[in-house]
Amino acid sequence: MNNLIDALEAQYARYLSLEPGTALVLAVWSLGTHLHQSFSTYGYLGITSPEPGCGKSLVMEVMELFCASPDYTVNSSGPALFRTIHKDSPTLLIDEAEKLSPDLRAIINTGYRRRAAVPRCLGPEVVRFRTYCPKVLASLNMLSPALLDRVILIQMRKALPDEGLTRFDFESAQQQVADLHADIEAWAEANRDRVALHAKGEPPDFLRNRAVDIWFPLFVVCELAASHRLNDLTETAKRLIALKVENTPELLGNRLLADISWIFLRSEQTQ
């Protein structure tokens, strides 16, 4: 139980060709899905690749083993999706996210916040459907700027022949990790109150603006489940945040303005 995050990380590294640190992010995020109601926000994962065959769908298959109430979907309708979220609050694994309809984008754009809802007419009544739940968005090529702003970006590549990855078979893997899955659920239940308390604390200094919404829950989970990995998570978070800015020209100007404002604010506080 003490090495829960390490065990999860090893499972992702076993099957997937990932950049350094990414398996740790997948491990902490997966554990956090079992506690997402303890947070006011829970950022998405954005899994992208420049071409087919890089393992985006495989990432989601492996995640099905460890996330809370996983629900794999592709080309769902808006009404079906917001009803599913409202009723079950699953971990949505959304493939082909580059093809999202406008109605689905409205759900995705709001659903990283716990209080988010979309109003819909049911007969003469207006009903507000909750849209909050953990979501993984797999997309060929880059996500739109609006979606990219809400995700932890993970870029996939084709595995090299000498990487020594294990071939993934869902049913076999599910049997092999049954004890680990039970440990995940037990840890989440035992630590629910602690996570909720720590979620009210202060985020790391390097996280600002939307990055706090997206990354802070992972730091809370990591601190409580694997404090010895906090430095590793910090280095990976900094690298992935910079990567996302590089892939979103629209964010560069906003990031510069935010940094300038933050510098002035800190200067005023120290005077």
Side-chain angles (χ1 to χ4, degrees), residues 42-102:
Y42 203 78
Y44 307 150
L45 291 183
I47 315 295
T48 68
S49 71
E51 59 181 331
C54 292
K56 298 186 303 298
S57 297
L58 180 58
V59 173
M60 294 194 291
E61 286 189 74
V62 180
M63 296 192 81
E64 283 190 70
L65 297 172
F66 306 117
C67 291
S69 304
D71 189 344
Y72 176 85
T73 181
V74 59
N75 198 30
S76 294
S77 70
L81 201 61
F82 64 66
R83 282 174 168 82
T84 297
I85 297 172
H86 185 82
K87 178 177 179 290
D88 300 325
S89 192
T91 300
L92 280 181
L93 309 171
I94 303 173
D95 211 348
E96 299 184 6
E98 71 273 12
K99 301 178 182 178
L100 288 175
S101 67

Side-chain angles (χ1 to χ4, degrees), residues 10-181:
Q11 288 296 320
Y12 282 112
R14 179 184 181 190
Y15 298 110
L16 302 169
S17 178
L18 299 167
E19 296 296 329
T22 305
L24 174 61
V25 172
L26 293 175
V28 177
W29 193 92
S30 299
L31 180 57
T33 64
H34 295 261
L35 295 153
H36 71 276
Q37 294 292 357
S38 299
F39 300 103
S40 59
T41 62
Y42 203 78
Y44 307 150
L45 291 183
I47 315 295
T48 68
S49 71
E51 59 181 331
C54 292
K56 298 186 303 298
S57 297
L58 180 58
V59 173
M60 294 194 291
E61 286 189 74
V62 180
M63 296 192 81
E64 283 190 70
L65 297 172
F66 306 117
C67 291
S69 304
D71 189 344
Y72 176 85
T73 181
V74 59
N75 198 30
S76 294
S77 70
L81 201 61
F82 64 66
R83 282 174 168 82
T84 297
I85 297 172
H86 185 82
K87 178 177 179 290
D88 300 325
S89 192
T91 300
L92 280 181
L93 309 171
I94 303 173
D95 211 348
E96 299 184 6
E98 71 273 12
K99 301 178 182 178
L100 288 175
S101 67
D103 200 28
L104 289 176
R105 288 179 183 273
I107 295 171
I108 302 300
N109 285 346
T110 62
Y112 71 100
R113 293 189 177 278
R114 190 175 60 200
R115 297 179 62 186
V118 292
R120 293 293 184 269
C121 291
L122 293 182
E125 302 294 328
V126 176
V127 178
R128 292 180 59 82
F129 287 90
R130 293 184 293 272
T131 59
Y132 178 64
C133 71
K135 301 175 184 68
V136 183
L137 309 173
S139 174
L140 187 62
N141 298 315
M142 195 52 61
L143 294 163
S144 69
L147 294 180
L148 193 60
D149 193 36
R150 290 155 172 78
V151 306
I152 296 170
L153 178 63
I154 296 176
Q155 293 184 315
M156 302 295 294
R157 56 171 174 78
K158 288 190 174 181
L160 300 175
D162 61 351
E163 287 191 67
L165 299 174
T166 301
R167 187 182 70 84
F168 182 76
D169 176 78
F170 183 84
E171 292 184 358
S172 297
Q174 190 176 41
Q175 294 176 3
Q176 294 170 13
V177 302
D179 290 343
L180 177 56
H181 185 84

